[in-house]
């Protein structure tokens, strides 16, 4: 309860007295590059192999000859769009970006750089955290959309290269019974997870006290609590929107 209250006080302070947009612009562009371009490598690697594994495992689990092979494409498409790309990729980003945010802000706290900003009359929470939140909410949907494409493409390449499914059957399954709202739902989850990752990691970094050891602990706590909240809100959003 203490951390919940302090978290919402942190969010209130973050939004209460924002600085001018021109002050945030340079920070926003830097964070967009860091969160987007800086994350594409690990996202691409995870997405391609994730799609490949889903496709091959689905093929070997289809033991009923009455089920058409195009069902593999349907299962791979819906699994990647609804769950694996938005949730798994955001869990990966929570480890990469969340730890970076918490350690960056935590280091600024223990070296008294945040105190210097407050002495100059700058809203330190807004100056340091708000550009990260806006950048994550803006760029994460694009990163997850790329993950969806790479996951589906990875499944197609793996399935056809292994000879377990023909290209025609896989593409037919991708096109069959496609529900466009599934993509909208995935984007809604992604935006929610982006907010969770940035605010929770920034909260733990901002309230770091001590030295280098405590910075490491704050970074670990930021990643752990972000991951837990992502899984909880994944269930909540699925229950609210899809049922």
């Amino acid at each position: 309860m203490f951390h919940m209250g302090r978290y919402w006080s942190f969010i209130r302070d973050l939004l209460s007295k924002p600085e001018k947009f021109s002050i945030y612009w340079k920070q926003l562009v830097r964070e967009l590059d860091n969160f987007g371009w800086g994350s594409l490598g690990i996202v691409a690697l995870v997405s391609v192999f994730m799609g490949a594994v889903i496709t091959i495992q689905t093929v070997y689990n289809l033991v009923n000859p009455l089920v058409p092979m195009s069902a593999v494409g349907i299962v791979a498409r819906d699994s990647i769009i609804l769950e694996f790309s938005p949730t798994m990729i955001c869990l990966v980003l929570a480890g990469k970006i969340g730890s970076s945010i918490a350690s960056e802000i935590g280091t600024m706290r223990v070296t008294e750089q945040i105190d210097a900003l407050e002495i100059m009359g700058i809203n330190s929470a807004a100056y340091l955290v708000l550009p990260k939140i806006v950048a994550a909410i803006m760029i994460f949907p694009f990163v997850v959309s790329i993950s969806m494409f790479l996951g589906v493409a990875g499944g197609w390449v793996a399935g056809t290269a292994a000879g377990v499914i023909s290209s025609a059957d896989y593409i037919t399954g991708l096109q069959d019974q496609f529900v466009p709202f599934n993509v909208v739902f995935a984007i809604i989850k992604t935006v929610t997870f982006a907010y969770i990752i940035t605010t929770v990691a920034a909260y733990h970094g901002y309230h770091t006290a001590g030295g280098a050891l405590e910075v490491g602990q704050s970074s670990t706590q930021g990643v752990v609590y972000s991951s837990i909240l992502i899984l909880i809100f994944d269930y909540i959003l699925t229950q609210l929107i899809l049922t």
Side-chain angles (χ1 to χ4, degrees):
M1 296 300 294
F2 167 76
H3 285 288
M4 288 180 63
R6 192 165 68 166
Y7 170 81
W8 288 113
S9 296
F10 171 70
I11 298 299
R12 181 199 62 199
D13 295 339
L14 188 152
L15 299 174
S16 60
K17 291 191 302 179
E19 307 293 333
K20 294 181 180 179
F21 178 75
S22 58
I23 298 177
Y24 294 137
W25 176 249
K26 187 177 180 180
Q27 285 284 97
L28 178 62
V29 172
R30 185 174 68 89
E31 300 300 348
L32 285 171
D33 177 70
N34 182 34
F35 294 170
W37 180 255
S39 302
L40 280 182
I42 185 66
V43 168
L45 184 66
V46 171
S47 300
V48 169
F49 283 98
M50 177 179 64
V53 170
I54 291 173
T55 299
I56 293 175
Q57 286 186 348
T58 303
V59 169
Y60 284 107
N61 284 319
L62 284 180
V63 295
N64 191 335
L66 299 178
V67 178
M69 290 301 295
S70 61
V72 175
I74 298 175
V75 173
R77 178 200 67 202
D78 289 345
S79 298
I80 291 169
I81 292 177
L82 285 174
E83 190 60 30
F84 283 93
S85 280
T87 305
M88 294 299 296
I89 293 302
C90 283
L91 286 172
V92 171
L93 293 177
K96 179 185 180 297
I97 294 175
S99 61
S100 174
I101 292 174
S103 59
E104 175 188 340
I105 298 178
T107 301
M108 295 184 70
R109 169 62 75 184
V110 299
T111 56
E112 300 181 351
Q113 296 179 52
I114 293 178
D115 297 333
L117 289 173
E118 293 173 349
I119 290 173
M120 290 187 292
I122 298 174
N123 184 347
S124 58
Y127 178 76
L128 295 174
V129 181
L130 196 57
K132 299 181 189 299
I133 298 174
V134 175
I137 290 175
M138 289 175 61
I139 203 67
F140 273 30
F142 292 99
V143 173
V144 169
S145 298
I146 294 172
S147 170
M148 293 177 189
F149 172 78
L150 292 176
V152 171
W156 172 72
V157 171
T160 54
V164 295
I165 185 173
S166 67
S167 178
D169 286 336
Y170 188 83
I171 294 174
T172 299
L174 294 180
Q175 298 172 336
D176 189 24
Q177 301 178 21
F178 175 65
V179 180
F181 181 74
N182 288 346
V183 178
V184 177
F185 173 65
I187 299 301
I188 292 173
K189 290 206 300 184
T190 302
V191 170
T192 304
F193 298 158
Y195 173 82
I196 290 172
I197 292 170
T198 50
T199 56
V200 171
Y203 163 79
H204 284 284
Y206 192 82
H207 292 96
T208 301
L213 180 61
E214 285 73 19
V215 171
Q217 292 174 349
S218 296
S219 178
T220 301
Q221 290 174 352
V223 173
V224 170
Y225 286 118
S226 296
S227 301
I228 293 172
L229 287 173
I230 284 172
L231 296 176
I232 292 173
F233 276 87
D234 183 28
Y235 168 75
I236 292 174
L237 291 173
T238 302
Q239 186 71 22
L240 289 176
I241 298 176
L242 290 188
T243 58

